[in-house]
Amino acid sequence: MDFELNQEQKMWQRIVREFCESEVKPHAAEVDETGQLHWDVIRKMKDIGLNSLEVPEALGGTEVDTISIVIAMEELGRACGSTALSLAAHNGLGCAPIKRWGTPAQHEQWFPSLISGEVLGALALTEPNAGSDLLNGVQTFARREGDEWVIDGSKAWITNAGIAPVITVLCRTDKDAGARGFSMLLVDTKSPGLTIHPPEKKMGLKGSPTHMLSLDGVRVPADAVLGEVGRGFHQTMATLDNGRIGIGALSIGLAQAAFEEGVKYAQQRRAFGKPISEHQAIQWMIADAALEIDAARLLVYRSAWLKDQGKDFTKQAAMGKLMATEVAERVCKNAIQIHGSYGYSREFPVERIYRDQRLMSIGEGTSEIQRMVIARRVLQEFS
């Protein structure tokens, strides 16, 4: 077993970390306070390829391996949760399905704008009554009329919808075909009948815009189907497997940021005549955080490695996402505990990081769904 990054990955990690430290992290508090992404920074990301991680080089993208995507997401999460989430959604949910199932014409139509640094991509799965249960809950329906699809329905909690040129929308295209009755359709956000509602007011990740969508007779060309008609549900499951690796990495970044802040504060703060880092209760928090972050990182990296090797990674991606998101919650909670009252103040980053991490065990499948995925795979292995 080789747990070392190769030379190219090490160089990539250094480049991304330096960029995040100098360009992303200094604006993290401002992004949270204003609820706006820092677009000057996102435009600069084009120069190192952070907004084209899934796009082939022949189309102007970076197309790095999955481990390198994990490296990027962790470093972004360590710097700014809002920016990291929007970039994770852009790369893993917005660009990746188009790369994987799109036609050459769809690539040429959408990738130039998606990697320009002026917009970010989006995927619309969730509905007001369909979160984890997409198979039974999705009601957005697309009917074929001549050379067009006509879409009616609504979507909820869609990251980047208001800043995307195109949204991949999961629709029912056959109400009687079960899992074969879904298709993904590419919807131009300028399409008549599409309403992108104002951003949701959220607990955290305030700079990453999340919207509700209404689709009222939205017409798209017949060739707007992504991949095959009837394969949308299977494409969604594959996309979520991939996305869980990214969210796991992002969660590790958030945990790492809180951990570093906690250790730094513990070494500075004095109580009972010595730095609180010398008190056993604080040392146990530090030890637990170091242990759990390392364990979660190994799980996430393993799932990324399996994907790069062309092996099945569904169970491992769920395990990594579950572990990383729940570790982030514990580490961020204890980082606030180490700070005491100051940890509850906006003056210190751990308050923001704690709010940002809370979504991670909900989005891309809740912790409960991850446990179901893992258990089903384990039971299949024993059958």
Side-chain angles (χ1 to χ4, degrees):
M1 295 184 184
D2 184 357
F3 293 96
E4 286 290 320
L5 300 176
N6 62 38
Q7 288 304 116
E8 188 174 340
Q9 290 163 345
K10 288 179 180 178
M11 182 174 67
W12 170 249
Q13 185 181 52
R14 177 181 57 79
I15 291 169
V16 176
R17 176 165 294 185
E18 289 176 356
F19 180 87
C20 288
E21 282 288 326
S22 63
E23 300 289 347
V24 181
K25 189 175 181 179
H27 300 288
E30 176 193 351
V31 167
D32 180 65
E33 290 287 343
T34 64
Q36 299 289 327
L37 291 171
H38 204 288
W39 280 98
D40 285 346
V41 172
I42 291 175
R43 292 184 187 99
K44 291 178 183 178
M45 290 180 182
K46 182 180 179 181
D47 296 335
I48 60 172
L50 283 174
N51 59 356
S52 61
L53 299 173
E54 299 270 6
V55 179
E57 290 185 17
L59 296 169
T62 312
E63 198 176 26
V64 296
D65 62 352
T66 311
I67 289 176
S68 295
I69 292 174
V70 165
I71 290 169
M73 288 303 117
E74 179 177 347
E75 294 301 329
L76 284 164
R78 181 172 167 267
C80 174
S82 290
T83 304
L85 181 64
S86 276
L87 265 293
H90 165 71
N91 283 292
L93 304 182
C95 294
I98 298 175
K99 179 197 81 170
R100 184 168 180 181
W101 296 293
T103 64
Q106 289 168 339
H107 290 171
E108 291 174 11
Q109 181 179 5
W110 295 117
F111 278 148
S113 61
L114 284 170
I115 67 175
S116 67
E118 301 296 331
V119 296
L120 294 175
L123 172 68
L125 305 177
T126 304
E127 298 186 5
N129 295 309
S132 299
D133 187 12
L134 293 172
L135 182 60
N136 297 304
V138 168
Q139 299 301 313
T140 297
F141 185 70
R143 68 183 185 276
R144 184 68 180 267
E145 287 189 3
D147 293 332
E148 294 180 315
W149 292 95
V150 183
I151 310 170
D152 290 287
S154 59
K155 296 290 181 179
W157 301 106
I158 309 306
T159 303
N160 295 343
I163 52 177
V166 61
I167 302 174
T168 303
V169 180
L170 179 66
C171 305
R172 283 188 186 273
T173 45
D174 186 338
K175 295 181 179 179
D176 301 315
R180 294 283 303 188
F182 295 84
S183 303
M184 285 184 167
L185 297 176
L186 294 169
V187 177
D188 189 319
T189 52
K190 298 189 295 294
S191 299
L194 173 64
T195 301
I196 302 174
H197 296 274
E200 301 287 351
K201 296 179 180 178
K202 301 178 296 184
M203 171 183 177
L205 301 163
K206 295 180 178 180
S208 177
T210 308
H211 301 264
M212 185 168 181
L213 311 180
S214 297
L215 300 103
D216 184 11
V218 174
R219 293 179 176 270
V220 298
D223 61 5
V225 174
L226 192 60
E228 300 176 30
V229 174
R231 294 293 296 172
F233 184 76
H234 301 88
Q235 292 168 342
T236 295
M237 294 300 102
T239 300
L240 290 175
D241 281 346
N242 186 53
R244 284 166 185 158
I245 296 175
I247 293 299
L250 199 167
S251 300
I252 293 167
L254 290 166
Q256 184 69 34
F259 173 64
E260 292 171 5
E261 292 292 334
V263 171
K264 182 172 65 176
Y265 185 83
Q267 292 173 324
Q268 296 170 351
R269 173 73 169 176
R270 297 181 66 86
F272 304 102
K274 58 184 177 181
I276 63 172
S277 60
E278 295 183 19
H279 292 287
Q280 189 179 62
I282 302 300
Q283 290 181 344
W284 284 9
M285 291 183 191
I286 291 171
D288 286 347
L291 165 69
E292 292 190 322
I293 291 171
D294 203 31
R297 184 180 284 116
L298 288 170
L299 277 173
V300 172
Y301 272 67
R302 183 177 68 161
S303 64
W305 180 84
L306 286 169
K307 182 182 176 224
D308 283 339
Q309 298 303 309
K311 300 177 183 292
D312 181 78
F313 63 95
T314 296
K315 183 181 77 172
Q316 286 76 13
M319 292 170 71
K321 196 263 186 187
L322 174 63
M323 181 75 168
T325 56
E326 297 199 346
V327 163
E329 176 118 22
R330 288 190 292 273
V331 170
C332 292
K333 170 183 173 291
N334 283 338
I336 288 179
Q337 204 71 10
I338 289 170
H339 281 71
S341 297
Y342 288 109
Y344 201 63
S345 166
R346 290 188 185 182
E347 183 181 349
F348 288 81
V350 290
E351 182 269 345
R352 166 175 43 83
I353 299 168
Y354 183 81
R355 287 187 288 104
D356 284 350
Q357 64 77 28
R358 191 61 191 88
L359 175 71
M360 300 303 146
S361 57
I362 299 172
E364 300 278 353
T366 63
S367 291
E368 292 71 26
I369 291 296
Q370 305 312 315
R371 287 182 165 90
M372 288 171 59
V373 171
I374 296 163
R376 286 171 181 169
R377 288 290 173 137
V378 170
L379 292 170
Q380 286 173 6
E381 292 164 5
F382 275 78
S383 64

